[in-house]
Amino acid sequence: SKSLPFFIHLAKELPEFKFILALVKCFDNDDYINELKRLASDISSPVEIRTNLPKESCAELVSEAGIYLNTVDEKLMNIGMPISISEAMATGCYIVASNYESMKSYIGESGKTYNDITEAKNIIKDTELWSDDKWDKAWKNSVERAFSKHADEIILRPMFFDWIKIYKDRLIATETPEAKLDKVSQTVLA
């Protein structure tokens, strides 16, 4: 769902910033990774492409980054709940993400959204002028949002019970009226 070429092109636009693209090799995507590397070389993008970093190394990299850029392939309009963004917020990263209402709601005061490469470039470039206090505030906003809105206990537990309800509703819909009454009278403890 990510637009990785966008990331590579933006890195070319902002050579004074260090752009690192961390990728995982899976589902025989070696050809795509090689295509991204060729693109970076062809346009002389200074992006650094790393593959298959251990989870600990990736977490350390994100926590040192300061800015997390999330890109979305416009053809794949499903945004969902990007785990990578909540993980980046948990490390204190300032989030720069595609401008969709769901994304604005998801990141809140933890970052800004962009419509195109020029806006993304300007958002990132503006951080060069930030004071230490502004960076500290951005870090605090991200961490607080990650743990108050996206922590597993807050998100996954209610989602689990929603899934159980959906399953039960579907199960009851396929049963006889007698079986439905029997199922409704049972209690499930969590």
Side-chain angles (χ1 to χ4, degrees):
S1 66
K2 298 189 180 355
S3 176
L4 302 179
F6 181 96
F7 190 95
I8 293 168
H9 283 280
L10 187 57
K12 180 175 173 53
E13 295 284 322
L14 292 165
E16 64 275 23
F17 287 83
K18 184 173 186 174
F19 279 72
I20 300 173
L21 182 56
L23 302 171
V24 174
K25 289 185 179 185
C26 61
F27 306 115
D28 296 323
N29 67 349
D30 288 335
D31 290 342
Y32 183 59
I33 291 173
N34 290 331
E35 183 183 318
L36 293 171
K37 289 177 179 179
R38 264 192 310 281
L39 171 63
S41 176
D42 290 349
I43 67 169
S44 300
S45 174
V47 68
E48 184 180 327
I49 298 176
R50 298 184 190 177
T51 56
N52 291 340
L53 293 176
K55 188 156 182 76
E56 297 79 22
S57 298
C58 195
E60 185 177 326
L61 179 66
V62 173
S63 69
E64 292 173 4
I67 298 172
Y68 180 82
L69 175 65
N70 184 267
T71 62
V72 174
D73 186 338
E74 292 177 12
K75 293 175 254 162
L76 304 170
M77 295 292 282
N78 294 336
I79 306 289
M81 185 175 121
I83 298 299
S84 60
I85 290 179
S86 58
E87 289 173 337
M89 281 192 284
T91 69
C93 280
Y94 183 71
I95 308 299
V96 179
S98 301
N99 189 16
Y100 294 99
E101 280 306 313
S102 59
M103 195 61 73
K104 285 182 193 176
S105 172
Y106 194 77
I107 66 173
E109 297 297 315
S110 298
K112 281 191 174 180
T113 58
Y114 62 86
N115 289 304
D116 56 34
I117 198 164
T118 302
E119 283 186 15
K121 177 182 173 181
N122 291 335
I123 291 168
I124 293 171
K125 192 134 182 75
D126 286 348
T127 64
E128 281 185 311
L129 304 174
W130 283 13
S131 66
D132 287 345
D133 286 342
K134 186 149 184 175
W135 276 110
D136 288 345
K137 183 177 180 188
W139 182 89
K140 184 179 177 191
N141 284 342
S142 287
V143 171
E144 285 179 357
R145 184 156 189 93
F147 288 96
S148 68
K149 300 287 186 187
H150 306 300
D152 61 352
E153 186 65 23
I154 294 165
I155 297 298
L156 297 179
R157 189 173 182 79
M159 188 184 310
F160 174 73
F161 288 115
D162 287 344
W163 288 342
I164 288 174
K165 183 183 179 317
I166 291 168
Y167 172 76
K168 284 181 183 176
D169 290 348
R170 287 184 180 171
L171 186 65
I172 289 172
T174 62
E175 294 178 344
T176 64
E178 297 79 22
K180 286 181 188 178
L181 285 175
D182 189 42
K183 291 281 185 194
V184 170
S185 66
Q186 295 176 358
T187 304
V188 175
L189 299 176

Coordinates of all heavy atoms in Angstrom, one line a residue, residues 130-163:
W130 N 13.2 24.2 13.4 CA 12.6 23.9 14.7 C 13.7 24.0 15.8 O 14.8 23.6 15.7 CB 12.1 22.5 14.8 CG 10.8 22.3 14.1 CD1 10.2 23.1 13.2 CD2 10.0 21.1 14.2 NE1 9.0 22.6 12.7 CE2 8.9 21.3 13.3 CE3 10.0 19.9 14.9 CZ2 7.8 20.4 13.2 CZ3 9.0 19.0 14.7 CH2 7.9 19.3 13.9
S131 N 13.2 24.6 16.9 CA 14.0 24.7 18.1 C 14.0 23.3 18.8 O 13.2 22.4 18.5 CB 13.5 25.7 19.1 OG 12.2 25.3 19.5
D132 N 14.9 23.1 19.8 CA 14.9 21.9 20.6 C 13.5 21.8 21.3 O 13.0 20.6 21.5 CB 16.0 21.9 21.6 CG 17.4 21.7 21.0 OD1 17.4 21.3 19.8 OD2 18.4 22.0 21.7
D133 N 13.0 22.9 21.8 CA 11.7 22.8 22.5 C 10.6 22.3 21.5 O 9.7 21.5 21.9 CB 11.3 24.2 23.0 CG 12.1 24.6 24.2 OD1 12.7 23.7 24.9 OD2 12.1 25.8 24.5
K134 N 10.6 22.7 20.3 CA 9.6 22.3 19.3 C 9.8 20.8 19.0 O 8.8 20.0 18.9 CB 9.7 23.1 18.0 CG 8.5 22.7 17.1 CD 8.1 23.9 16.2 CE 6.9 23.4 15.4 NZ 6.3 24.5 14.6
W135 N 11.0 20.3 18.9 CA 11.3 18.9 18.7 C 10.8 18.1 19.9 O 10.2 17.0 19.8 CB 12.8 18.6 18.4 CG 13.1 18.8 17.0 CD1 13.9 19.8 16.5 CD2 12.7 17.9 15.9 NE1 14.0 19.6 15.1 CE2 13.3 18.5 14.7 CE3 11.9 16.8 15.8 CZ2 13.1 17.9 13.5 CZ3 11.7 16.2 14.5 CH2 12.3 16.8 13.4
D136 N 11.1 18.6 21.1 CA 10.6 17.9 22.3 C 9.1 17.8 22.4 O 8.6 16.8 22.8 CB 11.1 18.7 23.6 CG 12.6 18.5 23.8 OD1 13.2 17.6 23.2 OD2 13.2 19.3 24.6
K137 N 8.4 18.9 22.0 CA 6.9 18.9 22.0 C 6.4 17.9 20.9 O 5.5 17.1 21.2 CB 6.4 20.3 21.6 CG 4.9 20.3 21.7 CD 4.4 21.7 21.5 CE 2.9 21.7 21.5 NZ 2.2 22.9 21.1
A138 N 7.1 17.8 19.8 CA 6.7 16.9 18.7 C 6.9 15.4 19.2 O 6.0 14.6 19.1 CB 7.5 17.1 17.5
W139 N 8.0 15.2 19.9 CA 8.3 13.9 20.5 C 7.2 13.5 21.5 O 6.7 12.4 21.4 CB 9.7 13.9 21.1 CG 10.1 12.6 21.7 CD1 10.7 11.6 21.0 CD2 9.8 12.1 23.0 NE1 10.9 10.5 21.9 CE2 10.4 10.8 23.1 CE3 9.2 12.6 24.1 CZ2 10.3 10.0 24.2 CZ3 9.1 11.8 25.3 CH2 9.7 10.5 25.3
K140 N 6.9 14.4 22.4 CA 5.9 14.2 23.4 C 4.5 13.9 22.8 O 3.8 13.0 23.2 CB 5.8 15.3 24.4 CG 4.9 15.1 25.5 CD 4.9 16.4 26.5 CE 3.9 16.1 27.6 NZ 3.7 17.3 28.3
N141 N 4.1 14.7 21.8 CA 2.8 14.5 21.2 C 2.7 13.1 20.6 O 1.7 12.4 20.7 CB 2.6 15.5 20.1 CG 2.2 16.9 20.6 OD1 1.8 17.0 21.8 ND2 2.4 17.9 19.8
S142 N 3.8 12.7 19.9 CA 3.8 11.4 19.2 C 3.7 10.2 20.2 O 2.9 9.3 20.1 CB 5.0 11.2 18.3 OG 4.9 12.0 17.2
V143 N 4.5 10.3 21.2 CA 4.5 9.2 22.2 C 3.2 9.1 23.0 O 2.6 8.1 23.1 CB 5.7 9.4 23.2 CG1 5.6 8.4 24.4 CG2 7.1 9.2 22.5
E144 N 2.7 10.3 23.4 CA 1.4 10.3 24.1 C 0.3 9.8 23.2 O -0.6 9.0 23.7 CB 1.1 11.7 24.6 CG 1.9 12.1 25.8 CD 1.6 13.5 26.3 OE1 0.8 14.2 25.7 OE2 2.2 13.9 27.3
R145 N 0.3 10.1 22.0 CA -0.8 9.7 21.1 C -0.7 8.2 20.8 O -1.7 7.4 20.8 CB -0.8 10.4 19.7 CG -1.9 10.0 18.8 CD -2.3 11.1 17.8 NE -3.5 10.7 17.1 CZ -4.7 11.1 17.5 NH1 -4.8 11.9 18.5 NH2 -5.7 10.8 16.8
A146 N 0.5 7.7 20.6 CA 0.7 6.3 20.4 C 0.2 5.4 21.6 O -0.5 4.4 21.4 CB 2.2 6.0 20.2
F147 N 0.5 5.9 22.8 CA 0.1 5.1 23.9 C -1.3 5.3 24.4 O -1.9 4.5 25.0 CB 1.2 5.2 25.1 CG 2.4 4.5 24.7 CD1 3.5 5.2 24.2 CD2 2.6 3.1 24.9 CE1 4.7 4.5 23.8 CE2 3.7 2.5 24.6 CZ 4.8 3.2 24.0
S148 N -1.8 6.5 24.1 CA -3.2 6.8 24.5 C -4.3 6.3 23.5 O -5.4 6.1 23.8 CB -3.4 8.2 24.8 OG -3.3 9.0 23.6
K149 N -3.9 6.3 22.2 CA -4.8 5.9 21.1 C -4.6 4.6 20.4 O -5.5 4.0 19.8 CB -4.8 7.0 20.1 CG -5.2 8.4 20.6 CD -6.7 8.5 20.9 CE -7.0 9.9 21.2 NZ -8.4 10.0 21.7
H150 N -3.3 4.1 20.4 CA -3.0 3.0 19.6 C -2.3 1.8 20.3 O -1.8 0.9 19.7 CB -2.1 3.5 18.4 CG -2.7 4.6 17.7 ND1 -3.9 4.5 17.0 CD2 -2.2 5.9 17.4 CE1 -4.1 5.7 16.4 NE2 -3.2 6.5 16.7
A151 N -2.2 1.9 21.6 CA -1.6 0.8 22.3 C -2.5 -0.5 22.2 O -3.7 -0.4 22.1 CB -1.5 1.1 23.8
D152 N -1.9 -1.6 22.2 CA -2.6 -2.9 22.0 C -3.8 -3.1 22.9 O -4.8 -3.6 22.5 CB -1.6 -4.1 22.0 CG -1.0 -4.3 23.3 OD1 -1.1 -3.5 24.2 OD2 -0.3 -5.3 23.5
E153 N -3.6 -2.8 24.2 CA -4.7 -3.0 25.1 C -5.9 -2.1 24.7 O -7.1 -2.5 24.9 CB -4.3 -2.7 26.5 CG -5.3 -3.0 27.6 CD -5.6 -4.5 27.7 OE1 -4.8 -5.3 27.3 OE2 -6.7 -4.7 28.2
I154 N -5.7 -0.9 24.2 CA -6.7 0.0 23.8 C -7.4 -0.4 22.5 O -8.6 -0.3 22.4 CB -6.2 1.4 23.7 CG1 -5.7 1.9 25.1 CG2 -7.2 2.4 23.1 CD1 -4.8 3.2 25.1
I155 N -6.6 -0.9 21.6 CA -7.1 -1.2 20.3 C -7.5 -2.7 20.1 O -8.6 -3.0 19.7 CB -6.0 -0.9 19.2 CG1 -5.8 0.6 19.2 CG2 -6.5 -1.4 17.8 CD1 -6.9 1.5 18.8
L156 N -6.6 -3.6 20.5 CA -6.8 -5.0 20.2 C -7.9 -5.7 21.0 O -8.6 -6.5 20.5 CB -5.5 -5.8 20.3 CG -4.4 -5.3 19.3 CD1 -3.1 -6.1 19.5 CD2 -4.8 -5.4 17.9
R157 N -7.9 -5.3 22.3 CA -9.0 -6.0 23.1 C -10.4 -5.7 22.6 O -11.2 -6.6 22.4 CB -8.8 -5.6 24.5 CG -9.6 -6.3 25.5 CD -9.2 -6.0 27.0 NE -10.0 -6.7 27.9 CZ -9.7 -8.0 28.3 NH1 -8.8 -8.6 27.7 NH2 -10.5 -8.5 29.2
P158 N -10.7 -4.4 22.4 CA -12.1 -4.1 21.9 C -12.3 -4.7 20.5 O -13.4 -5.2 20.2 CB -12.1 -2.6 21.8 CG -11.1 -2.1 22.8 CD -10.0 -3.2 22.7
M159 N -11.2 -4.7 19.7 CA -11.3 -5.3 18.3 C -11.6 -6.8 18.4 O -12.5 -7.4 17.7 CB -10.0 -5.1 17.5 CG -10.1 -5.5 16.1 SD -8.6 -5.3 15.2 CE -8.1 -3.7 15.5
F160 N -11.0 -7.5 19.3 CA -11.2 -8.9 19.6 C -12.6 -9.2 19.9 O -13.3 -10.1 19.3 CB -10.2 -9.4 20.7 CG -10.5 -10.8 21.1 CD1 -10.1 -11.9 20.2 CD2 -11.1 -11.2 22.3 CE1 -10.3 -13.2 20.6 CE2 -11.3 -12.5 22.6 CZ -10.9 -13.5 21.8
F161 N -13.2 -8.4 20.8 CA -14.6 -8.6 21.2 C -15.5 -8.3 20.1 O -16.6 -8.9 19.9 CB -14.9 -7.9 22.5 CG -14.2 -8.5 23.7 CD1 -13.3 -7.8 24.4 CD2 -14.6 -9.8 24.1 CE1 -12.6 -8.4 25.5 CE2 -14.0 -10.4 25.2 CZ -13.0 -9.7 25.9
D162 N -15.2 -7.3 19.2 CA -16.0 -7.0 18.1 C -16.0 -8.2 17.1 O -17.0 -8.6 16.6 CB -15.5 -5.8 17.3 CG -15.8 -4.5 18.1 OD1 -16.6 -4.5 19.0 OD2 -15.2 -3.5 17.7
W163 N -14.8 -8.8 16.9 CA -14.7 -10.0 16.0 C -15.6 -11.1 16.6 O -16.2 -11.8 15.8 CB -13.3 -10.4 15.9 CG -12.4 -9.5 15.0 CD1 -12.9 -8.6 14.2 CD2 -11.0 -9.5 15.0 NE1 -11.8 -7.9 13.6 CE2 -10.6 -8.5 14.1 CE3 -10.0 -10.2 15.7 CZ2 -9.3 -8.2 13.8 CZ3 -8.7 -9.9 15.4 CH2 -8.4 -8.9 14.5

